[in-house]
Amino acid sequence: MARNPNIRIQAQVLQADEDALVALKAIADYKPANPAYSVEALTLKHEAMRAAEEAELHAQNALSAARDAAVAAQWEYHDAVLGIKDQVIAQYGPNSDQVASLGLKKKSERRAPVRASKPSG
């Protein structure tokens, strides 16, 4: 099994690890030679993992809320700019230099529609 501490562990593997912890707690005479592998140490690591997952979930929710607020602010700004363009057209007319200064085409610069000719016969 490859070890890469930069990628997530699969959910099935984590579930098997939790099952192993539950089973280990049922072994009454378990006394490891290395105290880092005691039930208490493993329980603390499990709680730390759960706390980190909870913090990640809160951060993801905060990111989603911030993204939604940014999108809403962008739409409010865009709608305001569209309203400004309408107001400039209403105030100065559709063929004014002020309309062109906003990046819009003057009415006189638009091409006349070309009608399709009917086929003969």
Side-chain angles (χ1 to χ4, degrees):
M1 181 172 163
R3 271 187 62 96
N4 185 351
N6 296 324
I7 60 171
R8 289 192 178 272
I9 297 176
Q10 294 177 355
Q12 300 91 341
V13 174
L14 287 176
Q15 185 60 49
D17 291 347
E18 289 186 21
D19 294 344
L21 175 60
V22 171
L24 183 64
K25 288 180 180 179
I27 301 174
D29 58 347
Y30 175 70
K31 301 284 185 221
N34 187 344
Y37 299 114
S38 66
V39 174
E40 295 80 18
L42 193 57
T43 302
L44 288 174
K45 290 181 189 293
H46 182 259
E47 290 171 0
M49 179 188 71
R50 288 292 181 201
E53 288 173 344
E54 185 177 327
E56 179 187 24
L57 180 62
H58 290 308
Q60 286 175 344
N61 290 341
L63 174 64
S64 294
R67 185 181 302 120
D68 290 346
V71 167
Q74 287 175 343
W75 276 105
E76 286 180 26
Y77 172 72
H78 180 65
D79 288 341
V81 170
L82 292 177
I84 288 169
K85 290 177 180 180
D86 289 340
Q87 290 299 308
V88 168
I89 292 171
Q91 184 174 351
Y92 296 104
N95 203 29
S96 66
D97 291 334
Q98 290 83 357
V99 169
S101 71
L102 294 178
L104 300 173
K105 280 189 174 183
K106 292 181 180 182
K107 191 172 185 178
S108 62
E109 293 175 353
R110 296 191 183 274
R111 286 186 13 193
V114 178
R115 296 182 184 204
S117 61
K118 291 183 179 181
S120 61

